Amino acid sequence: MPRYDYRCRACGATFELSRPMREASAPAACPEGHDDTVKLLSTVAVTGRGGATPAPSSGGGGCCGGSCGC
């Protein structure tokens, strides 16, 4: 189940809740009982297994492949 971070505007506390994605935008009361909270934007870091290196580019196709001069 996803975890969402919130901040209380009344007391400044930050807290997280585990809830289904369908309830992600539902209001959340802070642990102190205040209702004026805002959901924080979270970032997720995804890393792969070590040792894998990307295949070298053949230089063709797409703008970043070298065909547009960028």
Side-chain angles (χ1 to χ4, degrees):
M1 190 171 311
R3 299 169 100 179
Y4 299 97
D5 296 321
Y6 296 86
R7 181 177 17 223
C8 178
R9 292 180 182 171
C11 67
T14 57
F15 60 98
E16 61 182 38
L17 292 176
S18 294
R19 52 177 31 178
M21 290 177 72
R22 68 179 175 270
E23 296 177 16
S25 60
C30 87
E32 300 297 320
H34 304 118
D35 292 326
D36 189 12
T37 60
V38 62
K39 188 169 91 170
L40 301 174
L41 178 63
S42 334
T43 57
V44 176
V46 178
T47 60
R49 291 183 166 189
T53 57
S57 173
S58 63
C63 180
C64 293
S67 63
C68 68
C70 53

